[in-house]
Amino acid sequence: MHRKFQEVAEKLHPKFEALLCCPPVSGGKLPKVMPHSGIYLFSEGSNHLYVGRTRRMRGRYGDHSRSSAKHNDAPFAFKLAREQTGYLKSEYKPGKHSRIGLSQDPIFDAAFKTALLRIRAMDFRYVEETDPTAQCLLEVYASVVLGTRYNDFDTH
């Protein structure tokens, strides 16, 4: 392994441990002081579901859980709604099963709103990481170690 990469990689596990040790918050009750940049984790009890990264922690939490969030801002809620409605395969051509088409479907929209409420009730943990490369690697590391089923690093 190249020395530069190894230097970054060796810092991942301590940050991961700090993430898991973070006292969880839920219900939108974020502390007054929290980092701007880092990774975050949504869990239901010991069931870790989704890891993300951001440069605006407070705002990103709102994107995922605010009742007025739109489908482009809340990918986790969108995935939960897909699962609930059975629309599991992504379609990238315009139509009723595309992202825009689904967001206009009343049944899917109701599932999306339910997912936003579910996420707001989840445990939310976070850890500061300001370096973009380390942040990216930490997101992948945490997702792999925790087996977060709603993370998808596939490209389209």
Side-chain angles (χ1 to χ4, degrees), residues 67-128:
S67 62
S68 62
K70 303 297 181 208
H71 63 95
N72 282 333
D73 295 327
F76 181 29
F78 197 79
K79 288 178 183 189
L80 291 172
R82 275 186 176 280
E83 185 177 70
Q84 184 178 340
T85 59
Y87 294 117
L88 302 176
K89 188 172 189 277
S90 298
E91 289 193 20
Y92 301 103
K93 295 179 182 176
K96 69 179 189 173
H97 295 129
S98 69
R99 193 172 191 96
I100 292 173
L102 287 174
S103 69
Q104 295 170 347
D105 178 290
I107 293 171
F108 187 86
D109 187 55
F112 180 74
K113 288 185 180 354
T114 299
L116 292 170
L117 291 171
R118 179 180 171 194
I119 292 169
R120 193 167 188 84
M122 288 181 186
D123 289 340
F124 178 73
R125 291 176 177 84
Y126 51 86
V127 66
E128 183 173 36

Side-chain angles (χ1 to χ4, degrees), residues 27-43:
K29 294 177 174 61
L30 299 177
K32 290 184 191 260
V33 178
M34 59 188 299
H36 293 285
S37 295
I39 71 159
Y40 55 89
L41 170 65
F42 284 105
S43 307

